Amino acid sequence: MKKITIAIDGFSSTGKSTVAKQLAKHLGYVYVDTGAMYRAVTYYAMQNGLINKEIFNTEALISNLPKITISFKFNEDKGFAEVYLNNENVEKQIRTLEVSSFVSQVAAVSQVRKKLVEQQQNMGKDKGVVMDGRDIGTVVFPDAELKLFMTASAETRAQRRYDELIERGDKIEYEAVLKNVQERDYIDSNRKDSPLVKADEAIEFDNSNMTLKEQFEEILKLVNQKI
Ligand code: C5P
């Protein structure tokens, strides 16, 4: 069977990664969570005092980029690859609301994007990949055979993210999560470099009222038309 590239883009917390992981597992494809890569760079910036509520030292971040290595290692128990920053597993640390509150500023820096996009293109060069993010169908793999653009109302998305954070044991308010989702959508959609836009040929998928099973089955039908 022919191996293809599946690009899944969309707004924050649209459930892209959940369906992408399931799809990759079913097809025997590699799954790449590109948001985790931007989050890991943000976590590095936070750990090294380059970004906080008062400062964002863009120049220092750019000059530190060669010192940042992002990698993925498959976790057999969890059934997906976890993200590593300079060989340290940071899967849990990068999912906090604090990282979420800075990540879109970091992701707007062209030099950061250039570094990560190159790595993403390399990871997907042999096809057989499901990659999710904001610019996969437009910039990383403009020739992807299947492009999806996921949407859902901001409230639905904030509720999903809130439930995930509460389940992890984080102490947060729903309103703060909603605000973060809306702010990230705004910055991601309005930045100069690779803004979040639907690729012309991407299939729009509003999953506000769909179960995971329904989404998976719909997407699988689309995949089967391409392979
Ligand atoms: O997908 P996730 O919500 O984890 O992504 C975190 C942030 O990383 C996004 O809000 C966006 O600022 C950035 N991002 C990006 N391009 C991608 C993936 C994520 O700019 N391909």
Side-chain angles (χ1 to χ4, degrees), residues 72-187:
F72 289 93
K73 281 189 200 133
F74 197 78
N75 180 321
E76 294 288 346
D77 295 335
K78 295 193 177 155
F80 63 88
E82 294 182 313
V83 68
Y84 285 69
L85 168 65
N86 294 338
N87 286 322
E88 181 199 351
N89 184 331
V90 292
E91 186 62 36
K92 185 144 197 264
Q93 293 88 318
I94 62 163
R95 308 283 170 195
T96 61
L97 192 56
E98 203 186 359
V99 171
S100 299
S101 71
F102 297 126
V103 64
S104 291
Q105 292 173 66
V106 170
V109 177
S110 291
Q111 290 85 344
V112 171
R113 303 204 69 80
K114 186 170 179 289
K115 176 183 170 92
L116 298 187
V117 167
E118 267 171 29
Q119 188 177 348
Q120 291 153 10
Q121 288 171 333
N122 200 35
M123 285 191 278
K125 69 180 182 330
D126 298 326
K127 295 191 180 276
V129 66
V130 185
M131 199 171 280
D132 76 17
R134 305 292 187 287
D135 61 342
I136 312 305
T138 49
V139 175
V140 182
F141 289 115
D143 298 331
E145 288 84 351
L146 181 62
K147 299 182 185 180
L148 301 173
F149 191 82
M150 310 280 269
T151 63
S153 73
E155 288 73 16
T156 306
R157 296 185 284 118
Q159 187 66 49
R160 287 181 188 151
R161 182 55 64 115
Y162 173 76
D163 292 344
E164 269 170 32
L165 292 168
I166 291 292
E167 203 182 305
R168 279 168 39 123
D170 289 9
K171 290 193 173 41
I172 33 128
E173 300 283 326
Y174 166 80
E175 287 305 324
V177 179
L178 176 62
K179 188 166 169 270
N180 173 256
V181 161
Q182 289 169 327
E183 277 173 4
R184 280 202 286 144
D185 288 349
Y186 182 81
I187 302 175

Side-chain angles (χ1 to χ4, degrees), residues 2 11 17 19 28 30 38-39 41-42 58 62 67 69 92 101 103 109 123 140 173 176 199 211 216 223:
K2 182 174 119 191
F11 295 103
S17 66
V19 77
V30 172
Y38 289 95
R39 286 173 179 275
V41 174
T42 305
T58 320
I62 294 168
K67 293 190 201 153
T69 302
K92 185 144 197 264
S101 71
V103 64
V109 177
M123 285 191 278
V140 182
E173 300 283 326
T211 64
F216 176 71
V223 173

Side-chain angles (χ1 to χ4, degrees), residues 208-225:
S208 306
N209 299 309
M210 287 176 94
T211 64
L212 187 58
K213 188 166 178 283
E214 286 165 346
Q215 289 176 61
F216 176 71
E217 283 168 1
E218 277 299 308
I219 296 175
L220 198 58
K221 271 191 223 154
L222 298 170
V223 173
N224 284 328
Q225 291 165 11

